[in-house]
């Protein structure tokens, strides 16, 4: 209760600061606009047919839909959400390790980042067009089989007879692309004039926006007697434990002690201070999960091209979330991409060289090659538990959902994003509150986890 009271007081204090209050209200207004757009279905789509399909399906389309807050399942103008921008950002970042020109831009500071951001926007439009066309083709060819055996098209009959499939596909692709560009613009406005990282908050709003629907579904299952009260309490306890475990690991870090050399300037001795070089246990963040999800989505996508080929459908069934084949391959891919992305993100040689130039050193370790080898050893050791953590929270909840007959899925990328964005936003609010001598949300040292080498 005391922690809740402090959090409420912190929010009240935030609204007492005029500048911070404007930023909070601006951010809230942008997020409301995004959520409104997530409920506007594009012309020509039979929303009832789509709702029936997603209600009875258990595939990666549902996982993608959770990132967009239900916009994908309704084929709204924001159906693609911000995911094309995220994909473009990841690809541009990875290209920096193999293309010298991009690598140079990454090292040019603010000007280089501005150019890379512009390239990312252009690439986002290209990905949006490709993904939008693929979804439009899927929508125009999709039919839901009813109990009577009749196939109902995902397109409204009057619209299909007007423009036809080609006309619908062009209109849908343009609408989806324009929606993604608008969402990207809204995210950048939050970053510039609001509180927190706009792109992250857009994803956060989409994921959190699906929570009321999940809670309502669980309540209906309780009312209908499908779940007893004890089961519902147990489910909520499991959800709290999963979130607590993710928060614990996300805030855990391995701190390497650093020492700066002492220098005599006149009659004063400068330097000689101790500091730390922190590495998060989850060094790769959510990127490995996103990469693995993209690859695991391929079998289902290929199978959708051959709806009448039984072999392809049997093959795709093995890659449905919750199947043992899906779980094993997905976990192995996550572990591989964790090490792969960590190796790209952190270069021990560069870190050791920067430490050497600044005069800092690790006590007991010689500068240069030995420092690089030591840092590489530390990164390898913390990447293993980090990768296993990502694999566990990504694969485990699927089986937990089936075992408890839960109406919603919790875990993996969605919870990592929600927890990460929430903590990052709270830290930014905390910093601004401290500048005004207000007590913040977080007590220093309370949520910092540490792991020994």
């Amino acid at each position: 209760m005391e922690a809740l009271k402090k959090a409420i007081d912190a929010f009240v204090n935030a609204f007492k600061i005029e500048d911070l209050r404007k930023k909070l209200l601006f951010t809230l207004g942008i997020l409301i606009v995004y959520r409104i757009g997530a409920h506007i279905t594009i012309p020509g789509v039979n929303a009832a047919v789509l709702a029936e399909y997603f209600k009875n399906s258990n595939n990666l389309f549902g996982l993608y839909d959770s990132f967009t807050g239900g916009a994908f399942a309704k084929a709204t103008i924001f159906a693609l959400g911000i995911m094309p921008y995220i994909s473009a950002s990841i690809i541009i970042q990875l290209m920096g390790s193999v293309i010298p020109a991009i690598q140079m831009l990454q090292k040019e500071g603010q000007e280089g980042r501005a150019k890379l951001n512009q390239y990312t926007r252009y690439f986002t439009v290209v990905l949006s067009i490709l993904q939008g066309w693929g979804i439009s083709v899927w929508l125009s060819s999709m039919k839901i089989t009813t109990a009577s055996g009749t196939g109902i098209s995902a397109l409204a009959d009057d619209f299909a007879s007007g423009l036809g499939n080609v006309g619908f596909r062009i209109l849908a692709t343009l609408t989806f692309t324009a929606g993604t560009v608008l969402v990207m613009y809204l995210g950048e406005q939050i970053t510039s004039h609001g509180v927190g990282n706009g792109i992250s908050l857009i994803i956060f709003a989409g994921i959190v926006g699906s929570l009321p629907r999940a809670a309502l579904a669980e309540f209906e299952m309780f009312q209908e007697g499908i779940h007893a009260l004890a089961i519902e309490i147990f489910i909520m306890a499991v959800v709290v434990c999963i979130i607590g475990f993710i928060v614990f690991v996300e805030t855990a870090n391995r701190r390497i002690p650093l020492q700066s050399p002492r220098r005599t300037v006149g009659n004063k001795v400068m330097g000689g201070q101790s500091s730390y070089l922190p590495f998060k246990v989850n060094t790769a963040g959510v990127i490995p999960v996103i990469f693995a999800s993209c690859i695991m989505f391929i079998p289902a996508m290929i199978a959708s091209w051959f709806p009448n080929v039984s072999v392809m459908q049997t093959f795709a069934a093995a890659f449905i979330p919750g199947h043992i084949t899906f779980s094993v391959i997905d976990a192995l891919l996550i572990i591989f991409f964790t090490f792969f992305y960590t190796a790209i993100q952190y270069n021990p040689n560069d870190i050791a060289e920067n430490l050497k130039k600044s005069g800092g050193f690790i006590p007991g370790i010689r500068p240069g090659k030995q420092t690089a080898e030591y840092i590489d050893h530390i990164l390898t050791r913390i990447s293993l538990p980090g990768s296993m953590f990502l694999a566990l929270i990504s694969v485990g909840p699927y089986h937990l959902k089936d075992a408890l007959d839960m109406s919603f899925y919790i875990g993996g990328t969605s919870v990592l994003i929600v927890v990460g964005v929430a903590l990052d936003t709270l830290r930014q609010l905390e910093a601004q509150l401290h500048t005004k001598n207000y007590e913040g949300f977080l007590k220093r040292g309370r949520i910092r986890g540490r792991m020994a080498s």
Side-chain angles (χ1 to χ4, degrees):
M1 292 298 294
E2 183 180 355
L4 178 61
K5 182 179 181 300
K6 287 184 178 180
I8 295 175
D9 291 340
F11 274 110
V12 173
N13 292 335
F15 277 90
K16 290 180 181 179
I17 306 173
E18 182 179 0
D19 182 55
L20 188 54
R21 181 173 65 249
K22 290 180 179 179
K23 290 183 177 181
L24 287 170
L25 293 176
F26 179 83
T27 301
L28 180 61
I30 294 293
L31 294 179
I32 291 175
V33 171
Y34 169 69
R35 291 306 301 157
I36 292 175
H39 290 83
I40 303 176
T41 304
I42 66 172
V45 172
N46 192 331
V49 172
L50 277 182
E52 185 68 21
Y53 172 80
F54 279 94
K55 180 179 179 181
N56 298 320
S57 64
N58 181 28
N59 52 37
L60 290 178
F61 285 123
L63 180 61
Y64 189 96
D65 184 54
S66 66
F67 298 151
T68 62
F72 182 79
K74 299 174 184 176
T76 69
I77 58 175
F78 292 161
L80 295 179
I82 198 64
M83 296 310 293
Y85 179 84
I86 299 297
S87 301
S89 300
I90 295 172
I91 293 173
I92 292 294
Q93 187 175 6
L94 291 177
M95 289 173 64
S97 62
V98 295
I99 299 179
I102 295 180
Q103 192 173 22
M104 289 179 61
L105 288 175
Q106 291 175 339
K107 297 179 179 180
E108 286 183 2
Q110 185 64 32
E111 183 178 352
R113 285 194 295 270
K115 291 182 179 179
L116 288 177
N117 288 337
Q118 194 65 22
Y119 295 156
T120 303
R121 295 187 188 101
Y122 295 148
F123 196 26
T124 299
V125 174
V126 174
L127 289 180
S128 299
I129 293 174
L130 294 176
Q131 293 183 21
W133 179 261
I135 294 174
S136 66
V137 171
W138 173 66
L139 287 172
S140 61
S141 60
M142 187 184 72
K143 290 186 178 181
I144 300 297
T145 303
T146 63
S148 61
T150 305
I152 302 179
S153 173
L155 300 185
D157 293 336
D158 55 344
F159 189 88
S161 61
L163 280 182
N165 281 345
V166 175
F168 167 77
R169 292 173 184 177
I170 295 175
L171 176 62
T173 301
L174 293 176
T175 305
F176 289 144
T177 303
T180 297
V181 173
L182 178 57
V183 171
M184 180 174 61
Y185 172 78
L186 293 177
E188 291 177 349
Q189 292 304 302
I190 292 177
T191 302
S192 301
H193 307 292
V195 177
N197 184 292
I199 302 301
S200 298
L201 284 173
I202 289 290
I203 303 177
F204 177 90
I207 296 172
V208 174
S210 62
L211 294 181
R213 182 177 53 186
L216 179 61
E218 279 296 323
F219 181 72
E220 290 176 350
M221 294 179 72
F222 170 70
Q223 279 190 321
E224 295 172 1
I226 301 176
H227 282 174
L229 179 61
I231 296 296
E232 293 294 345
I233 295 175
F234 180 72
I235 289 175
M236 295 308 300
V238 170
V239 170
V240 172
C241 289
I242 291 176
I243 295 176
F245 175 62
I246 291 176
V247 172
F248 173 76
V249 178
E250 278 295 288
T251 56
N253 58 75
R254 170 69 166 91
R255 305 203 306 183
I256 300 177
L258 297 177
Q259 189 75 28
S260 60
R262 293 184 179 182
R263 294 174 295 176
T264 302
V265 181
N267 296 326
K268 294 182 179 181
V269 178
M270 309 291 291
Q273 297 179 345
S274 299
S275 59
Y276 296 94
L277 181 64
F279 290 109
K280 291 183 62 176
V281 174
N282 180 22
T283 53
V286 300
I287 303 302
V289 182
I290 295 176
F291 282 175
S293 299
C294 292
I295 293 178
M296 297 303 293
F297 184 77
I298 294 176
M301 181 180 64
I302 295 177
S304 66
W305 300 341
F306 307 96
N308 299 323
V309 181
S310 59
V311 176
M312 294 300 301
Q313 300 306 314
T314 303
F315 173 74
F319 289 86
I320 293 177
H323 194 283
I324 186 63
T325 303
F326 174 91
S327 299
V328 172
I329 297 178
D330 191 36
L332 292 176
L333 286 174
I334 289 173
I335 293 174
F336 167 76
F337 281 123
T338 299
F339 283 92
F340 175 75
Y341 189 73
T342 300
I344 292 177
Q345 192 175 23
Y346 297 98
N347 189 327
N349 293 322
D350 290 345
I351 298 175
E353 185 65 24
N354 291 333
L355 285 175
K356 188 176 181 180
K357 289 180 179 178
S358 63
F361 62 93
I362 300 174
I365 307 296
R366 292 177 61 87
K369 183 179 179 180
Q370 288 190 10
T371 298
E373 291 176 349
Y374 179 77
I375 293 175
D376 182 66
H377 175 69
I378 294 296
L379 285 173
T380 302
R381 293 188 65 179
I382 65 176
S383 293
L384 180 59
S387 64
M388 296 177 68
F389 158 73
L390 288 177
L392 177 63
I393 65 167
S394 298
V395 174
Y398 285 118
H399 299 278
L400 188 64
K401 176 179 180 295
D402 294 336
L404 298 178
D405 192 25
M406 297 167 59
S407 61
F408 61 95
Y409 163 80
I410 181 169
T413 311
S414 57
V415 180
L416 279 174
I417 291 174
V418 169
V419 171
V421 173
L423 290 176
D424 181 63
T425 304
L426 285 178
R427 290 190 185 102
Q428 292 193 34
L429 290 175
E430 176 99 352
Q432 298 198 41
L433 286 172
H434 277 303
T435 59
K436 301 295 182 180
N437 297 321
Y438 283 107
E439 184 177 2
F441 298 89
L442 310 173
K443 185 177 180 180
R444 292 185 178 182
R446 178 180 296 175
I447 64 169
R448 291 179 183 171
R450 298 179 178 87
M451 291 189 63
S453 60

